Amino acid sequence: MRADTLAAEPGAHPSPAAVSAGFTVWMASEQRRIYGLCQHLLQDRDEADSATQDVFLKAHRALNKPGGDSPADLGKWLTRIAVNTCLDRLRSRRWRFWRRASIQNAQEILAQAVCRSPNADDTYFAAQIHQRLTAALGKLSERQRAVFTLRHYDNFSMEEIAAALDLDCGTVKAHMHRAVIKLRVELRDLYRRRA
Amino acid sequence: MIPSPHLTDDQLIERLYCASLSRAGEDAHFDACPECRDRARDLDRARARSVPESIPPPDYFDRQRREILARIAAPVERRILGSVWVPASLAVVLAAGLAIARWTLPEPSLDSAANSMNGTELIEILEPGWFEDTYSAMSMAEPRAASPIRGLFAEAPLSE
């Protein structure tokens, strides 16, 4: 989809009706992907919901900014907005020490895992891994966490991660390497027990 | 003990996430060894299986879309008032006010030069009558403060 088809009519009052039909269709096609990305990065449904809304709001503003550049690849551009929005939220979490624990409860994780795993043992193990991984991810820096999450949950390649974070591949590899080392230490008992 | 020619689990995990291995020769072994490639494929499948699939209710994205469109349509003033900048600005103004008050208002402290003698701080005594009370306590056999108590035990004249 071309960026110029998503902007509202010039001078139009920003009412829901004035938001171009192209933007609404494009948003509907990208919403699930962006929500999933935000949920993986933030590990919190409510915050992912709010972050997804912020992402599309920012995208709408940028597309309707007079004299603004039209991104060549809308998908990659939106991914970058989403990743930056989540990174900002992860950074602000440090100050919100009163915030409730973000780890979802075991029941919820089990309910999610049931759909994916064929037997009870795998289901339990997948839920356990997810819970421990979520806790371990909290001990990484924001960048390490973003790099690992984009690879683990969203199956991004190194080049895609570099583009999303506006970093070069070498820096992404360095962050990933440190993240993997930290997570291996944190989760060593889990995968040794499984083996 | 002969070391295994194959890559360890840790090496395969590193390759899965970092797309290459840190030591020279390991990548060449990986490319040439079908067994290690199979194990890496299994590991990647395990990674995919461990990712929980989030399935929101069917109308979830419709509701979210409506909220986004409403936020786009909201007047700019409301967006500003609802943002974090308002409490942040108030906090900055309050802090600046306190700082100005701290520097401009005179401090209620005693003149340090006039109230110190040989390094010993003197206490300013402002209570009126303090010297008289102290003098009476030192010069009289019975302090002046004792007279009201004595009055309680004094024999009152008998009434007619």
Side-chain angles (χ1 to χ4, degrees):
Chain A
M1 187 171 279
R2 280 160 50 91
D4 53 2
T5 61
L6 305 178
E9 291 296 313
H13 180 74
S15 68
V19 175
S20 75
F23 182 84
T24 313
V25 171
W26 173 66
M27 179 165 64
S29 70
E30 290 281 23
Q31 229 176 323
R32 189 176 284 269
R33 180 177 75 85
I34 295 299
Y35 172 75
L37 188 69
C38 292
Q39 200 188 349
H40 293 152
L41 282 165
L42 298 167
Q43 299 290 335
D44 184 301
R45 285 183 179 183
D46 293 338
E47 220 180 338
D49 180 60
S50 170
T52 306
Q53 293 192 22
D54 286 352
V55 169
F56 285 106
L57 202 66
K58 285 178 190 173
H60 184 267
R61 274 188 216 152
L63 289 168
N64 287 283
K65 197 173 164 185
D69 293 334
S70 302
D73 188 330
L74 276 172
K76 282 184 183 168
W77 175 71
L78 194 67
T79 302
R80 204 150 139 179
I81 296 177
V83 170
N84 285 330
T85 303
C86 292
L87 278 176
D88 286 344
R89 281 174 177 260
L90 286 173
R91 284 187 199 111
S92 72
R93 259 185 200 176
R94 276 182 277 177
W95 303 101
R96 286 181 287 155
F97 50 86
W98 62 88
R99 198 177 152 276
R100 67 187 164 79
S102 64
I103 301 166
Q104 293 164 312
N105 64 50
Q107 288 288 331
E108 201 176 337
I109 296 158
L110 275 172
Q112 286 176 357
V114 163
C115 318
R116 308 273 297 188
S117 302
N119 62 55
D121 191 32
D122 277 357
T123 301
Y124 176 74
F125 188 66
Q128 205 182 6
I129 286 179
H130 179 66
Q131 197 171 19
R132 287 284 308 277
L133 184 59
T134 306
L137 282 173
K139 296 183 179 173
L140 303 181
S141 74
E142 289 86 19
R143 278 226 193 281
Q144 288 169 0
R145 181 179 173 144
V147 163
F148 182 84
T149 304
L150 290 172
R151 175 81 190 101
H152 180 80
Y153 290 100
D154 297 290
N155 207 16
F156 276 35
S157 68
M158 284 289 157
E159 291 73 25
E160 286 169 326
I161 297 170
L165 290 165
D166 200 16
L167 298 171
D168 60 81
C169 264
T171 311
V172 171
K173 277 190 179 181
H175 281 307
M176 181 71 89
H177 188 70
R178 282 185 216 120
V180 169
I181 288 173
K182 278 189 194 174
L183 291 174
R184 261 199 333 229
V185 171
E186 287 291 325
L187 305 172
R188 183 160 292 274
D189 65 306
L190 262 185
Y191 72 89
R192 284 281 176 263
R193 200 192 320 163
R194 181 72 170 176
Chain B
M1 190 176 148
I2 303 162
S4 167
H6 297 296
L7 298 175
T8 63
D9 280 354
D10 283 352
Q11 287 170 316
L12 287 175
I13 287 171
E14 188 183 329
R15 200 180 187 288
L16 174 66
Y17 287 101
C18 304
S20 63
L21 290 154
S22 38
R23 270 176 289 180
E26 289 173 348
D27 276 321
H29 170 83
F30 181 83
D31 292 337
C33 177
E35 195 179 318
C36 284
R37 283 205 304 276
D38 284 349
R39 281 169 60 217
R41 201 177 305 121
D42 289 345
L43 209 59
D44 192 34
R45 284 193 190 128
R47 177 200 62 75
R49 270 205 312 274
S50 74
V51 176
E53 196 175 37
S54 175
I55 311 164
D59 60 342
Y60 179 86
F61 291 110
D62 291 338
R63 192 264 314 153
Q64 192 183 57
R65 205 156 42 247
R66 280 196 301 275
E67 284 182 16
I68 295 167
L69 292 174
R71 282 181 69 187
I72 289 172
V76 178
E77 307 87 69
R78 250 188 64 200
R79 277 189 224 147
I80 292 167
L81 283 174
S83 74
V84 294
W85 291 106
V86 175
S89 312
L90 287 174
V92 169
V93 168
L94 186 68
L98 287 172
I100 290 166
R102 169 78 179 78
W103 282 319
T104 53
L105 292 178
E107 215 169 308
S109 63
L110 301 171
D111 186 350
S112 57
N115 289 285
S116 68
M117 193 165 61
N118 298 332
T120 311
E121 289 288 319
L122 296 179
I123 301 165
E124 190 176 1
I125 297 150
L126 300 171
E127 197 174 340
W130 189 87
F131 282 111
E132 287 84 350
D133 285 345
T134 310
Y135 178 75
S136 75
M138 286 169 72
S139 60
M140 293 162 68
E142 187 179 83
R144 202 168 55 182
S147 57
I149 298 164
R150 179 172 291 282
L152 291 173
F153 299 102
E155 282 186 17
L158 290 170
S159 57
E160 295 292 319

